[in-house]
Amino acid sequence: MKHKSILTIAWLSCIIGLILSGCENDFDAKIYGKLSTTNFPATASDYESYLMDCYVPFSVNWSYNFSSQQHNFYVSEGGLHRCFDTTSDESVGWKIGSWGWLWTTLGEAQFDDMKYLGRASVGAPQHFEKVREVSRFTKIIEQLEKADPKVLPEEKKQEFLGEAHLCRGMMMYYLLNLFGPVPVIVDATLLGDTINEAHLERPDLNVMTKYITDDLEFAASHVAETQKEKGRYTADYARFCLMRHYLNEGYHMDGYYQKAYDIFSQFKGNYSLYTEGKNPYAEQFKIAHKFNSETIMAVSCSNTATGSGSEGNFNPFSWYAIPPDAAKYDDQRNPTPFVNQGGGWGMVFNISKAFYDSFEPGDKRVETILTRYYSSKYGWITEKEIGNRWDGFIINKYPIETATSFQGTDIPLARWADALLMYAEADVRAHKAVSQNAIKCVNEVRHRAGLADLAPDKTASVDAFLDAIYMERGHELFYEGCRKVDMIRFGRYYSDMKALGREPSSEYFPLPNYAVQQAKQSGYKLTQYYTRDNYDGPIKNE
């Protein structure tokens, strides 16, 4: 094959299987040695190792390399916090002490310069090359399907296939929400075909939506309901991902809102909002309360990990959220919230004053945001110094609990509070009415935050209630990697960002120039930008 397509899957003479994280309950990172394609996979254990390649982009270490150096989706450097939170109304663009143009422009919702990024994503969130990983997963799925039942029992094969489909579906889900529809190969018979691999055009939105739906629906029916290892995906996590996808695409896909509503009743776990402690919202994110009653899925992290790919997941979030001059002790020698770390590397992750001011009085969730800190250089820094000493307030949602290189705080992927809010949204979108059950779900989340029921005017109409849910989601889920997706789903991204003085340059990130040029050389037109038809207005629910 002379033409090297972006979609081409790179098969090496040896396969390195890097197992995802966990570092707890035996879901450890492992590197397997040289495995000849003539004798691998040959056992059930081999097939499981093969499957674990699918988890690598969803692990947390600095980067990985299948076909180019890429950021994992959940690492702070270039993952979802940077792509979906700093580009939203939660934060303000990082200007003070910035590490370069891309850090600044992303925070300002100016994405044009991303056209110039290369294949590798180190230092920049260039995730487009992950279309190759979709092809890789397609090959893994094909190999699992061909597994001899004498080697891999049928029940276990179906569970492994479910996990592989879930990883591929979520890979495409994130790519769709980063760039809009992108060219992918989900049919294994097309792999290795030069013509099909060179077919670099965006698929129709409905087509890519269906690719994701098919994978996630398969996963929801085949992934194991429970796993021995914390952090390994379950059927309930697949249902959660599917519910969110149904909601995102319901405005153009018939029946998706009803599907989102229906799947809520299919969760098998015994979930409930975490309610222990003086501030249960804050307590649930602490190391001592990992995988509590609210956790549907999280990236399981360890505070003994150092960032090496062989040592499991680590959580470097605090290094990107704390000002460099944050002191361990204040002027009275009292320990500050940063006593175990001191200052961070920079404050690219922050909370804008406008977002902070949108919280209701008495909302306990706001207690995880620090509006002042003691500087080793300047003394007490308050909101008066915003724009001078710091850009925005400090996120203390994932507190620094240990004096280690990185924190062992798990990274939330799916919480029951999110599921409740999605259920309420699905109910009103599917049935075009505000039900008491939907109101109850939202109020349950509010009560845990110390707030009263929604005021009557917030539930008086479908539009008013959706506005209330939109606001509630922002306050409940800030810096959980979903805000920009929510803003687009509610048709609020352009209008709300413009109102904050950060008019977006586009709805999604542009595709890199090299991909557009490569498509052109192959005789195809790969459009650089993608915009939904509801970009500058609310989603219609007729």
Side-chain angles (χ1 to χ4, degrees):
M1 189 187 308
K2 294 182 179 179
H3 180 82
K4 183 180 179 183
S5 167
I6 290 176
L7 302 179
T8 300
I9 183 166
W11 288 104
L12 307 177
S13 59
C14 64
I15 300 171
I16 297 179
L18 175 61
I19 287 189
L20 169 73
S21 62
C23 293
E24 301 174 4
N25 293 48
D26 301 321
F27 201 27
D28 297 332
K30 299 175 183 176
I31 300 271
Y32 293 89
K34 292 184 178 180
L35 302 169
S36 170
T37 55
T38 62
N39 64 7
F40 179 86
T43 67
S45 179
D46 285 349
Y47 277 107
E48 186 166 20
S49 300
Y50 196 34
L51 161 67
M52 287 301 132
D53 262 10
C54 296
Y55 277 94
V56 172
F58 304 96
S59 61
V60 181
N61 44 66
W62 291 122
S63 63
Y64 70 97
N65 192 339
F66 280 162
S67 54
S68 67
Q69 203 72 17
Q70 290 283 297
H71 279 307
N72 312 72
F73 277 126
Y74 304 129
V75 71
S76 299
E77 176 80 11
L80 301 190
H81 288 135
R82 188 174 174 191
C83 294
F84 292 152
D85 288 306
T86 63
T87 58
S88 78
D89 62 343
E90 295 171 351
S91 74
V92 64
W94 187 50
K95 298 178 181 177
I96 298 174
S98 176
W99 295 325
W101 57 267
L102 190 58
W103 291 91
T104 301
T105 58
L106 273 181
E108 291 295 318
Q110 300 302 302
F111 309 133
D112 286 349
D113 286 339
M114 296 186 75
K115 296 184 297 189
Y116 306 114
L117 297 178
R119 294 184 186 278
S121 71
V122 176
Q126 203 296 77
H127 294 284
F128 179 69
E129 280 292 301
K130 290 185 174 66
V131 296
R132 294 176 182 265
E133 269 79 285
V134 175
S135 296
R136 186 184 188 92
F137 295 175
T138 296
K139 185 65 177 178
I140 290 173
I141 288 170
E142 180 193 38
Q143 293 298 102
L144 286 170
E145 288 172 341
K146 292 179 178 179
D148 186 338
K150 294 179 181 178
V151 175
L152 184 63
E154 187 63 25
E155 181 179 357
K156 187 56 65 176
K157 177 201 286 191
Q158 294 303 317
E159 289 180 359
F160 288 176
L161 279 168
E163 289 179 79
H165 277 279
L166 175 52
C167 290
R168 188 176 70 174
M170 288 310 296
M171 177 71 71
M172 292 189 290
Y173 171 89
Y174 288 135
L175 288 173
L176 173 63
N177 285 287
L178 287 165
F179 302 104
V182 293
V184 292
I185 293 179
V186 296
D187 181 352
T189 64
L190 302 181
L191 294 172
D193 184 311
T194 306
I195 295 176
N196 283 299
E197 288 182 344
H199 193 165
L200 294 173
E201 291 184 325
R202 290 183 186 267
D204 180 81
L205 176 60
N206 287 6
V207 171
M208 185 148 190
T209 295
K210 192 64 165 56
Y211 288 161
I212 299 168
T213 302
D214 289 347
D215 271 349
L216 297 183
E217 287 182 343
F218 183 94
S221 298
H222 292 84
V223 179
E225 293 292 345
T226 60
Q227 300 279 14
K228 292 180 181 179
E229 307 94 344
K230 291 179 180 177
R232 186 162 174 174
Y233 296 162
T234 64
D236 271 350
Y237 179 53
R239 294 176 186 115
F240 176 92
C241 295
L242 190 53
M243 187 178 188
R244 182 170 55 187
H245 177 58
Y246 285 148
L247 275 176
N248 287 345
E249 310 305 332
Y251 78 96
H252 66 95
M253 298 292 284
D254 290 343
Y256 268 38
Y257 289 145
Q258 186 64 43
K259 285 175 177 284
Y261 176 82
D262 292 341
I263 204 169
F264 181 79
S265 64
Q266 299 172 28
F267 284 108
K268 300 293 174 58
N270 186 25
Y271 306 108
S272 61
L273 295 182
Y274 187 78
T275 57
E276 301 297 320
K278 184 178 180 181
N279 185 342
Y281 178 80
E283 289 292 325
Q284 70 174 309
F285 299 109
K286 292 186 177 179
I287 295 173
H289 305 138
K290 291 185 173 191
F291 280 84
N292 56 65
S293 63
E294 186 160 343
T295 306
I296 300 172
M297 185 51 59
V299 180
S300 182
C301 298
S302 171
N303 58 22
T304 62
T306 64
S308 168
S310 63
E311 295 181 355
N313 292 320
F314 68 104
N315 190 343
F317 183 91
S318 62
W319 292 100
Y320 296 86
I322 311 302
D325 59 333
K328 292 186 176 183
Y329 296 91
D330 65 18
D331 52 344
Q332 302 299 313
R333 297 301 299 166
N334 296 313
T336 71
F338 322 116
V339 66
N340 288 317
Q341 174 183 296
W345 295 331
M347 203 183 169
V348 63
F349 299 157
N350 59 64
I351 295 292
S352 72
K353 186 177 185 302
F355 185 78
Y356 178 87
D357 289 344
S358 70
F359 283 85
E360 297 175 45
D363 194 330
K364 292 183 178 180
R365 294 170 296 199
V366 81
E367 295 175 14
T368 63
I369 301 172
L370 304 179
T371 59
R372 64 198 295 262
Y373 76 97
Y374 190 74
S375 166
S376 57
K377 296 181 179 179
Y378 309 110
W380 284 106
I381 303 296
T382 67
E383 67 177 70
K384 293 180 180 179
E385 282 76 46
I386 285 181
N388 181 25
R389 302 296 186 192
W390 57 341
D391 292 300
F393 297 140
I394 297 173
I395 305 155
N396 197 37
K397 186 171 182 174
Y398 312 112
I400 305 168
E401 300 182 68
T402 57
T404 53
S405 298
F406 303 104
Q407 294 302 298
T409 311
D410 286 351
I411 299 171
L413 300 180
R415 293 195 291 116
W416 191 240
D418 194 349
L420 288 172
L421 294 174
M422 285 197 294
Y423 177 64
E425 182 184 343
D427 189 357
V428 71
R429 291 195 188 279
H431 305 132
K432 302 178 181 62
V434 181
S435 73
Q436 289 302 310
N437 196 36
I439 296 172
K440 179 182 177 182
C441 287
V442 177
N443 283 337
E444 186 177 345
V445 174
R446 289 174 57 81
H447 293 167
R448 198 264 300 274
L451 299 176
D453 289 351
L454 285 171
D457 65 307
K458 302 293 186 182
T459 62
S461 68
V462 166
D463 287 343
F465 189 52
L466 286 173
D467 285 345
I469 292 174
Y470 174 72
M471 183 67 73
E472 207 64 43
R473 288 187 63 80
H475 293 163
E476 178 69 25
L477 302 168
F478 66 92
Y479 274 90
E480 294 188 38
C482 61
R483 184 56 174 174
K484 184 173 183 281
V485 179
D486 281 357
M487 296 181 80
I488 290 174
R489 181 171 78 247
F490 281 83
R492 300 278 292 265
Y493 188 58
Y494 178 80
S495 59
D496 284 15
M497 294 295 282
K498 183 178 181 181
L500 293 170
R502 296 160 64 199
E503 183 174 356
S505 61
S506 58
E507 184 173 24
Y508 292 104
F509 297 162
L511 298 185
N513 282 342
Y514 72 81
V516 174
Q517 290 302 313
Q518 185 171 315
K520 184 177 180 180
Q521 292 167 10
S522 299
Y524 296 100
K525 182 179 181 181
L526 183 61
T527 54
Q528 195 149 41
Y529 292 88
Y530 183 82
T531 303
R532 291 179 185 251
D533 56 12
N534 63 327
Y535 178 35
D536 57 355
I539 290 175
K540 306 300 182 185
N541 290 300
E542 293 82 22

